[in-house]
Every structure is written in structure tokens, then in C-alpha cells.
Amino acid sequence: MKDLLNNEIKIGDKVAFLPNQKWTPRKMQYGIVESMTKNNYAAYCKSLSDTHTAILRYSDQIIKLG
């Protein structure tokens, strides 16, 4: 899977992403890729700054860090 900047994303990578619209305040989240969908078009990302469960983020919604 590729991120917004065309970097390769793998399980365990640190990423930045915008939270779900239900989360308030709406701020950038930092997390780790926990798993990928079968066809690698999206990844489940666990936030390091919030206690919510992993959420599905598409390639145009995440950016690989480092």
C-alpha cells in the first residue's frame, strides 16, 4: 500500500492521519499500522494519542513518518 506521498506502507510503520469525524477535538493523530485489508487499499491504524480502537484509513488519508 502507498500513502498520500507515494511512500510504501507496511504493518508496524508509524503514520499520521486525521481522526474520524466523530472524534473531538478534530486534530491530527499519530499511530501505528496494525493490519492491512486483503487487497491493500486501506490500513487499520491504532492511535498512539487516543484510546479508540484501530480505525480504517485509506491511502489518501495517511502519511508515513520517518
Side-chain angles (χ1 to χ4, degrees):
M1 175 182 160
K2 303 267 185 180
D3 71 354
L4 182 64
L5 301 175
N6 209 28
N7 296 315
E8 189 66 33
I9 298 286
K10 297 176 282 205
I11 295 172
D13 283 346
K14 293 178 184 168
V15 294
F17 55 93
L18 287 176
N20 201 342
Q21 290 182 1
K22 297 177 189 173
W23 293 7
T24 53
R26 190 165 162 76
K27 59 184 177 182
M28 176 115 8
Q29 298 285 312
Y30 303 98
I32 296 176
V33 176
E34 286 192 333
S35 63
M36 308 283 234
T37 58
K38 287 185 180 181
N39 54 7
N40 281 338
Y41 72 93
Y44 287 94
C45 301
K46 174 70 175 153
S47 175
L48 296 176
S49 55
D50 209 321
T51 58
H52 290 19
T53 59
I55 58 171
L56 186 64
R57 296 284 99 189
Y58 297 97
S59 62
D60 62 345
Q61 297 173 318
I62 59 176
I63 297 174
K64 183 177 179 177
L65 301 175

